[in-house]
Amino acid sequence: TPNTNILRSSRGHQRRQTMPSDSGTYSLHTPPGSFRSFKILIAAEYSSIPVSIPEYDAAKVSQLSPAGRPPVLVTPSGAHLFESGAIARYFSSLRKEETGLMGRGIYEEAEVDMWCDWAASELELPGSVWVYPVVGHMPYYESAHNKAKSDLAKSLSALESHLSEGSKKCLVGSRITLADVAAACALVYPFKLVCDKSYLKPYKNVLRWFKACAEEPQFKAVIGEVTMCKEELTASGQIKSEEKKQ
C-alpha cells in the first residue's frame, strides 16, 4: 500500500479543489501529490489560469485518456489533453508573450523543449525509481536503487555544469521558463525524501537554482514549502537488504 502520509505535505495544489467549477474553468484529473501535475499547476499559476481538481477517479481518467492514465486536462470547451508535458506546454503557451514561460523567440522555445524532454528522461526516471519504493509505489530492488542513485548523480552533474556557467539563474534565458518548472518539479520528492546533504554536496549551483525556484510564489502555491532531506528515507526492502549484509 502506498505511503500517502509521506506525500501529503506536498499537496499544496489540493486547495484548488475548493474553487468553483464553471464554463471558463479547466479541470485537471490527477491523483493527489503527483509531481508530474506540479509542473502543470505551476504553469497555470504563472499564466493566471484557474484550474479545478475534481476528486480523483481512475475509472473516469481511463475514459478521458486513450492512454488510460493521469493526468488528463478537460478544457472549458470539453476537449481533452493527456500527458503532463503536453498539458504544461499548453498552459505555458496560452499567455507566453506575457509570461515568457516558453522562452523568447524560436531558439529559446527549442531550448525550453530540450530541457523539458531532458528532465523527463534524465531526472524524472531515476528520481522515481529511487523514491517510489520509499513511498510504497513499487518494490525495492537493490540493483535498480543503486543505478537510480548513480543515474541521478550524473544528471545533477550535467545540471551543475550548465548552471555554473556564469552562475546562471535559469536554465534558459534570464527568467524562469517551463524548463525550470519541469526540472525543479522532477526534483521535489528526491530532494525532500532521499537526497541528503552529503549526496547533494557536489551540486551547489543546482541547490541555489532549485531553492530559488521553490521560493517563487507560483511554486509555493502548488507545492508549499519544500523542506530539504536531512536523512535519506529508506524502503522496507532496502532495510532488510542492508540488515542481511551486517
Side-chain angles (χ1 to χ4, degrees), residues 144-211:
H145 169 82
N146 292 339
K147 188 175 189 308
K149 289 185 70 171
S150 175
D151 288 349
L152 185 60
K154 291 176 183 176
S155 298
L156 291 177
S157 293
L159 202 56
E160 175 71 17
S161 177
H162 178 71
L163 291 168
S164 66
E165 296 174 2
S167 297
K168 285 187 175 73
K169 294 182 179 180
C170 304
L171 293 180
V172 177
S174 58
R175 59 188 296 180
I176 284 181
T177 65
L178 182 59
D180 301 287
V181 175
C185 287
L187 295 171
V188 169
Y189 285 136
F191 280 12
K192 288 186 67 171
L193 303 179
V194 294
C195 297
D196 58 22
K197 189 174 181 180
S198 62
Y199 181 86
L200 294 177
K201 186 176 181 180
Y203 315 116
K204 63 178 183 179
N205 285 294
V206 173
L207 285 172
R208 168 183 55 78
W209 159 83
F210 177 83
K211 290 178 180 179

Side-chain angles (χ1 to χ4, degrees), residues 71-88:
V72 180
L73 180 73
V74 179
T75 70
S77 68
H80 304 161
L81 286 174
F82 67 98
E83 294 297 334
S84 61
I87 301 171

Side-chain angles (χ1 to χ4, degrees), residues 25-240:
T25 301
Y26 292 84
S27 295
L28 184 66
H29 294 263
T30 177
S34 169
F35 74 87
R36 290 186 174 87
S37 291
F38 289 167
K39 61 189 173 190
I40 296 171
L41 294 164
I42 293 172
E45 287 283 345
Y46 275 104
S47 300
S48 301
I49 297 170
V51 179
S52 67
I53 303 179
E55 183 176 352
Y56 183 64
D57 184 342
K60 178 73 171 179
V61 167
S62 67
Q63 295 173 0
L64 294 174
S65 168
R69 61 175 181 266
V72 180
L73 180 73
V74 179
T75 70
S77 68
H80 304 161
L81 286 174
F82 67 98
E83 294 297 334
S84 61
I87 301 171
R89 285 178 172 93
Y90 173 73
F91 278 144
S92 299
S93 298
L94 287 178
R95 295 175 179 169
K96 65 180 182 180
E97 299 301 327
E98 301 169 38
T99 65
L101 279 179
M102 291 304 295
R104 303 294 185 184
I106 295 175
Y107 182 77
E108 281 197 3
E109 285 193 25
E111 283 189 298
V112 170
D113 282 340
M114 173 185 73
W115 282 108
C116 287
D117 290 347
W118 179 85
S121 61
E122 305 302 321
L123 296 178
E124 287 186 10
L125 182 56
S128 296
V129 173
W130 190 355
V131 169
Y132 279 4
V134 173
V135 298
H137 286 333
M138 63 182 285
Y140 169 81
Y141 297 103
E142 185 176 7
S143 58
H145 169 82
N146 292 339
K147 188 175 189 308
K149 289 185 70 171
S150 175
D151 288 349
L152 185 60
K154 291 176 183 176
S155 298
L156 291 177
S157 293
L159 202 56
E160 175 71 17
S161 177
H162 178 71
L163 291 168
S164 66
E165 296 174 2
S167 297
K168 285 187 175 73
K169 294 182 179 180
C170 304
L171 293 180
V172 177
S174 58
R175 59 188 296 180
I176 284 181
T177 65
L178 182 59
D180 301 287
V181 175
C185 287
L187 295 171
V188 169
Y189 285 136
F191 280 12
K192 288 186 67 171
L193 303 179
V194 294
C195 297
D196 58 22
K197 189 174 181 180
S198 62
Y199 181 86
L200 294 177
K201 186 176 181 180
Y203 315 116
K204 63 178 183 179
N205 285 294
V206 173
L207 285 172
R208 168 183 55 78
W209 159 83
F210 177 83
K211 290 178 180 179
C213 288
E215 285 299 313
E216 287 278 302
Q218 295 84 355
F219 276 77
K220 285 188 173 182
V222 174
I223 63 176
E225 294 285 342
V226 177
T227 302
M228 302 295 287
C229 174
K230 294 182 179 179
E231 182 178 355
E232 177 188 351
L233 296 181
T234 55
S236 58
Q238 181 178 352
I239 295 172
K240 292 177 182 177

